[in-house]
Amino acid sequence: MALREIVTIPEPILRKKAHKVTNFGPDLQALIDDMVETMRDAPGVGLAAPQVASPLRVIVVEFGDEENEEVPPKLFTMVNPEIVRVSDGLVVGTEGCLSIPGFVGDVERVEQITVKGQNRFGKPMKVKASGWLARIFQHEIDHLNGVLFTDRALRVWQPAEGEVVPRD
Ligand code: CO
């Protein structure tokens, strides 16, 4: 495993639509292992492959239970993720992004989603997420379509020192 460099705006790959993964071989396995290591090192709560300059539809998400800090964070690795169901109603939350250092923004997201995709070995998988976990999935899937949180934000600002916002 190795750390990969996180690319930042205005790197063009962040604005491209990522490609569907069809080859689940060693290169993909190495990419996923490196993405997990890079996300944890950053540290961040999610990472999409274009953020490490790979044009593939791969995301990793790691976030704990917001209600209960005793529950260890759960790691999700998803290949070719697709939002197949969304709840009614939008919720506003403050997001940051490892590819847009120094800025955060208030973004409206759907409260609950169902995401279908494949695991790292190509086996179909489905995740139902709500709250912050759902927000992170939406943020990461946006990355696969070249969309950044600043495109959706109601307002963007530079946080004061000590203001902590999860980044992904
Ligand atoms: Co991001």
Side-chain angles (χ1 to χ4, degrees), residues 7-30:
V7 299
T8 55
I9 50 167
E11 186 65 37
I13 195 166
L14 293 170
R15 289 305 194 175
K16 300 224 168 87
K17 200 170 152 72
H19 308 301
K20 191 175 177 190
V21 172
T22 53
N23 183 344
F24 290 79
D27 287 353
L28 180 74
Q29 302 308 318

Side-chain angles (χ1 to χ4, degrees), residues 51 96-99 139-140 143 148-149 168:
Q51 294 183 275
C97 181
L98 294 168
S99 295
H139 178 117
E140 300 315 331
H143 272 300
L148 301 173
F149 84 85
D168 47 3

